[in-house]
Amino acid sequence: MLSELRRMASQLTDELKGRVLSLAPPEITIRETPEACEKCDGPVHVQKTVSREVRTLAHGTVKAREIIHVCSNECRWENGTHVVHRPQGLQSILIPNSSTGYDLMVHIGRLRYLQGQQRAEISGTLLGQYGLRIPDSEIGFLQEQFLYYLNRLHQLRAPQLKEALARSGGWPMHIDATTEDGRGTLFAVMAGWQGWVLGAWHLPTERAELIVPHLQEMVERFGAPCAIMRDLGQAVRLASDELNLGREHPIPILSCHQHFLADIGKDLMNDSHQKLRQLFQHFGVRPALRTLARDLGRTLGADIEPARDALKLWQDSSPHDYVLPPGNAGLAIVRAMTQWVLDFGAKGEYHLFPYDQPYLELFDRCTQVRRAADSFLRTPPSDNRVRKAVEKLCRVLDPVTAEVPFQGVATRLRTRVTLFESLRQALRLTPRAPRVLNVPAAPKISPVKAQQEILDIKKALEDLTEHLQQTRPERGPAQETREAIDLVLDHIARHGSSLFGHAMTLPGETGGGIRLVARTNNGLENFWDLLKYQERRRSGRKKLGYDFEHLPAEAALALNLRDPDYVSLLCGSMDRLPQAFAALDAKERQERRQSPPAKAPTDAKPEPVLASASLPAPDRKLIRREKMTYRIETAARSRAPRFTTATQPASSSSKTYSEPAQLTSHG
């Protein structure tokens, strides 16, 4: 009975909504008669009446009749336009040259860039909650308008943001770039202590000459940072060094510990890890294991559940019983051993290379299962099916344990893993955890304890460096160990000076004391993760190359709106953001009136943009034209002209080139 009442209530609600939406929008007349002309205090008269359908979040869809007045003396502003009075009430809620309200634009922008909603979801929300029908194309336009206004407001509030950064004792500049599938490089500057993105830009490629102007712009706008935190990429290293050129007080430059450790790990282990992967591919170990697991699963067929129960009993029994049971129970055990090898990636879940070495784990599991199979074959199973299954598993794993290359590469990799782990322990670093929403932040420690931890890490790294120098073999057959140690010592020598110096002394006017810059660039890395998560949620695509190419760089600024302190400096509160956008346009209108008439465009050429990418989007549009293909195919089918060289002058009677062959048209 209750469910029926709910169904009827929902049906009635939908019917009433449909009736309301089918009604014509109400008509209102907006008339504000000015007492006199704003410029000459003379009389005014009605110029015209404009009717248009407007949409706002607060008022819905209405048909507004706007009565416009003009100066009777035909006054003009300094820019040459007539002195016209439009109703201020309508101008303060509508975007210029548009019938959409600021509040509707802000609401769409928040749904898109803070919640990652798709256009269809936004359209459904507006229709269901506010009765507004907005086409998808207009939603896309309003999204971009939201970022345009947000960027203008962010730049206008730069003095207030600069003052807030100074009150907190300064700001460490975290810089990093991200890309997806080699496309859409996005570079950002973040204030580390506050977590605010101060600027973001699209770059053709990550190059120092493209990064430096943006760093200089941030320093001019927000003041010199107390430190620069960067990764070890060549572009950001050169850009950071160039930013310090000519400065009376150079900015301390710090290297990210996480990137430092990861770079050493990749240089140490990547070759061996890739060789191990290639060996597994060459011998087809994983495909053979998958085939065996599938075949055993098909053999069990409908008896899979009883077989799983038997597997659980075998797991709970004595580990010293090396006799496999007959029947489906034994087949289920062999199948489980095969699956255990295939599940080698579970140990390093969420850990990326070099923090986890999945193919070394696969090698170890293959070796362990092969030895376990030998134990089970010492007392052969009484069931021939089970015995043959174990023998087949042994044949699949035999190359891993019998082939010499497997053993040599695994031993070399294991030695380097040990060296990497000793460095990792000295730096006290763990791999970056996956981004999980709504997780409480880790408890903060006092600056004194944090500084002491930095000093302990520095001492541990110095002790490790000294130990490696002492244990490094000078000669003899230990070339592998010597090369690995030299690689680590070389990284420490090149980047060791930028690994420490995180304690920043705060100015006296801010209370004094010290504050530490983060040891890693994980704050900005996590920011990129969140941005990509929302883009994947919106687009449904795993690879975001196309999305990042077309994503406005100002989308990074939109995520600042999650911070109440930033919002307070920007506009007071999120509810007042539409009024702040309207104030921008009101100020621009006033400045435009007082400015002289616009001059005719000159022939000045725009500043050229460095096209450093191999295949940027504008070039793709050109090379994918049919005419481009036609020209290449035509040239390929013809005979190119043959010119004589300067060293071999042609005689007067001979031709200096050959005519291209006539093309034949195939209809």
Side-chain angles (χ1 to χ4, degrees):
M1 184 65 178
L2 184 59
S3 61
E4 182 65 20
L5 289 175
R6 288 175 178 170
R7 186 190 65 79
M8 294 176 62
S10 177
Q11 183 178 358
L12 182 60
T13 302
D14 294 340
E15 183 179 349
L16 291 176
K17 282 184 178 179
R19 291 183 180 181
V20 171
L21 292 175
S22 64
L23 296 175
E27 295 187 7
I28 60 173
T29 300
I30 305 175
R31 183 187 185 107
E32 295 179 7
T33 305
E35 296 180 357
C37 172
E38 295 181 55
K39 189 169 185 181
C40 68
D41 290 334
V44 297
H45 64 270
V46 175
Q47 182 191 37
K48 59 183 176 179
T49 300
V50 179
S51 296
R52 54 176 168 162
E53 192 173 273
V54 301
R55 293 164 300 186
T56 68
L57 211 63
H59 307 93
T61 303
V62 296
K63 190 172 183 180
R65 297 177 66 250
E66 183 182 10
I67 300 177
I68 302 175
H69 294 78
V70 66
C71 177
S72 300
N73 297 327
E74 298 185 355
C75 289
R76 292 177 179 267
W77 295 109
E78 280 72 6
N79 63 355
T81 59
H82 286 282
V83 177
V84 176
H85 178 84
R86 305 180 72 105
Q88 294 297 320
L90 201 59
Q91 279 190 317
S92 63
I93 63 174
L94 293 182
I95 304 172
N97 304 319
S98 172
S99 60
T100 303
Y102 290 101
D103 57 351
L104 178 56
M105 177 188 67
V106 169
H107 188 67
I108 290 175
R110 292 175 65 180
L111 293 178
R112 164 64 178 86
Y113 296 107
L114 293 183
Q115 300 183 23
Q117 290 193 10
Q118 301 171 345
R119 291 185 184 181
E121 293 177 309
I122 297 174
S123 178
T125 300
L126 295 176
L127 182 61
Q129 296 184 8
Y130 302 98
L132 294 171
R133 285 194 177 95
I134 310 294
D136 287 354
S137 59
E138 186 172 354
I139 288 177
F141 172 74
L142 292 175
Q143 292 171 2
E144 296 180 359
Q145 284 289 96
F146 171 77
L147 294 181
Y148 166 72
Y149 278 94
L150 180 62
N151 186 41
R152 288 172 57 192
L153 188 59
H154 176 80
Q155 295 182 15
L156 183 66
R157 296 289 188 268
Q160 290 85 345
L161 294 173
K162 179 180 180 180
E163 183 180 353
L165 294 174
R167 285 199 305 268
S168 63
W171 62 288
M173 176 190 285
H174 289 247
I175 57 177
D176 190 31
T178 188
T179 185
E180 196 62 25
D181 199 26
R183 298 163 60 187
T185 302
L186 195 59
F187 177 76
V189 172
M190 173 182 281
W193 290 339
Q194 295 77 14
W196 301 340
V197 175
L198 300 180
W201 307 268
H202 271 298
L203 301 179
T205 52
E206 192 174 352
R207 297 177 62 89
E209 57 265 33
L210 302 177
I211 295 175
V212 171
H214 299 306
L215 299 184
Q216 294 172 342
E217 176 189 351
M218 293 294 98
V219 172
E220 294 173 1
R221 184 172 295 174
F222 300 102
C226 59
I228 298 176
M229 170 56 66
R230 54 157 176 80
D231 59 25
L232 304 183
Q234 182 180 9
V236 292
R237 286 193 290 110
L238 295 177
S240 302
D241 294 340
E242 187 171 343
L243 183 65
N244 267 335
L245 292 179
R247 296 188 62 87
E248 183 179 356
H249 302 288
I251 304 171
I253 300 176
L254 303 174
S255 295
C256 172
H257 286 197
Q258 198 88 46
H259 284 88
F260 173 73
L261 180 62
D263 283 359
I264 292 181
K266 291 175 182 177
D267 290 346
L268 269 177
M269 300 178 290
N270 187 62
D271 288 344
S272 299
H273 192 260
Q274 291 302 319
K275 288 180 181 178
L276 198 57
R277 179 182 65 84
Q278 292 168 2
L279 285 171
F280 276 108
Q281 290 179 342
H282 175 73
F283 288 98
V285 176
R286 293 175 65 190
L289 289 172
R290 286 194 290 265
T291 301
L292 177 59
R294 286 194 295 265
D295 291 344
L296 292 175
R298 283 192 291 266
T299 301
L300 294 174
D303 297 330
I304 186 67
E305 288 302 328
R308 287 169 177 162
D309 294 337
L311 175 63
K312 292 180 182 178
L313 291 176
W314 179 79
Q315 292 174 345
D316 296 335
S317 62
S318 172
H320 302 292
D321 183 7
Y322 302 114
V323 179
L324 293 180
N328 288 345
L331 295 179
I333 294 172
V334 178
R335 178 172 176 265
M337 293 167 59
T338 306
Q339 292 172 325
W340 184 79
V341 177
L342 289 172
D343 195 36
F344 65 96
K347 182 179 179 181
E349 188 176 8
Y350 302 128
H351 296 181
L352 301 177
F353 182 83
Y355 297 100
D356 178 59
Q357 302 81 36
Y359 283 96
L360 183 60
E361 175 65 18
L362 176 59
F363 174 83
D364 291 339
R365 291 200 176 200
C366 289
T367 304
Q368 293 173 10
V369 169
R370 183 63 182 84
R371 291 175 180 173
D374 280 341
S375 300
F376 294 136
L377 289 175
R378 287 194 185 100
T379 305
S382 58
D383 190 334
N384 284 335
R385 293 190 306 162
V386 177
R387 178 180 56 80
K388 290 181 179 180
V390 177
E391 290 174 349
K392 187 172 184 179
L393 177 60
C394 291
R395 287 195 296 272
V396 172
L397 299 178
D398 277 343
V400 180
T401 57
E403 295 291 339
V404 175
F406 271 104
Q407 301 292 334
V409 174
T411 301
R412 182 173 185 266
L413 179 57
R414 205 181 307 278
T415 301
R416 298 197 167 209
V417 168
T418 303
L419 183 58
F420 175 76
E421 288 298 327
S422 63
L423 179 63
R424 178 175 167 182
Q425 292 177 5
L427 293 174
R428 301 184 186 180
L429 286 177
T430 57
R432 221 162 33 97
R435 190 191 61 79
V436 181
L437 298 178
N438 301 324
V439 174
K444 295 182 179 180
I445 61 176
S446 65
V448 176
K449 290 184 178 179
Q451 185 180 19
Q452 184 59 47
E453 182 181 10
I454 293 289
L455 295 176
D456 293 342
I457 293 172
K458 184 178 181 181
K459 180 64 167 58
L461 184 61
E462 292 174 350
D463 293 342
L464 177 63
T465 303
E466 183 178 356
H467 173 72
L468 293 178
Q469 291 172 343
Q470 293 176 353
T471 57
R472 177 186 180 275
E474 295 293 338
R475 61 178 67 86
Q479 180 180 358
E480 165 60 28
T481 303
R482 183 164 55 250
E483 290 178 353
I485 292 178
D486 287 344
L487 192 149
V488 175
L489 292 177
D490 177 65
H491 276 76
I492 295 176
R494 286 190 288 116
H495 303 292
S497 59
S498 63
L499 290 177
F500 300 99
H502 299 74
M504 300 295 155
T505 304
L506 301 180
E509 56 269 19
T510 62
I514 60 171
R515 191 171 183 180
L516 268 68
V517 179
R519 289 200 296 135
T520 67
N521 220 8
N522 286 353
L524 197 46
E525 296 280 353
N526 291 334
F527 173 83
W528 293 133
D529 287 347
L530 177 60
L531 186 64
K532 292 181 179 181
Y533 166 80
Q534 291 190 347
E535 285 303 300
R536 288 191 177 94
R537 190 227 177 270
R538 180 196 60 83
S539 65
R541 288 185 284 267
K542 180 180 179 181
K543 293 186 177 181
L544 299 174
Y546 175 85
D547 302 274
F548 261 63
E549 275 191 329
H550 295 83
L551 179 70
E554 293 80 9
L557 298 177
L559 292 180
N560 288 342
L561 299 176
R562 299 172 301 158
D563 188 344
D565 294 335
Y566 178 84
V567 174
S568 177
L569 293 169
L570 200 68
C571 57
S573 65
M574 287 298 295
D575 296 335
R576 299 176 60 183
L577 190 56
Q579 289 83 353
F581 288 167
L584 289 176
D585 286 331
K587 181 181 179 182
E588 184 178 343
R589 281 193 298 269
Q590 186 65 27
E591 292 175 350
R592 192 164 54 242
R593 289 174 179 176
Q594 306 300 331
S595 62
K599 296 181 179 179
T602 61
D603 296 332
K605 296 182 179 180
E607 184 178 353
V609 179
L610 179 63
S612 56
S614 60
L615 191 58
D619 291 342
R620 285 200 296 271
K621 294 180 181 179
L622 293 175
I623 65 173
R624 291 173 181 174
R625 298 183 66 201
E626 292 183 2
K627 291 184 177 180
M628 181 68 181
T629 304
Y630 174 74
R631 290 302 303 272
I632 293 177
E633 291 178 348
T634 302
R637 290 195 299 264
S638 67
R639 295 178 59 191
R642 183 169 54 233
F643 292 90
T644 58
T645 61
T647 58
Q648 297 177 350
S651 62
S652 58
S653 59
S654 63
K655 292 185 178 180
T656 59
Y657 66 92
S658 58
E659 295 289 345
Q662 182 69 28
L663 294 178
T664 303
S665 175
H666 300 281

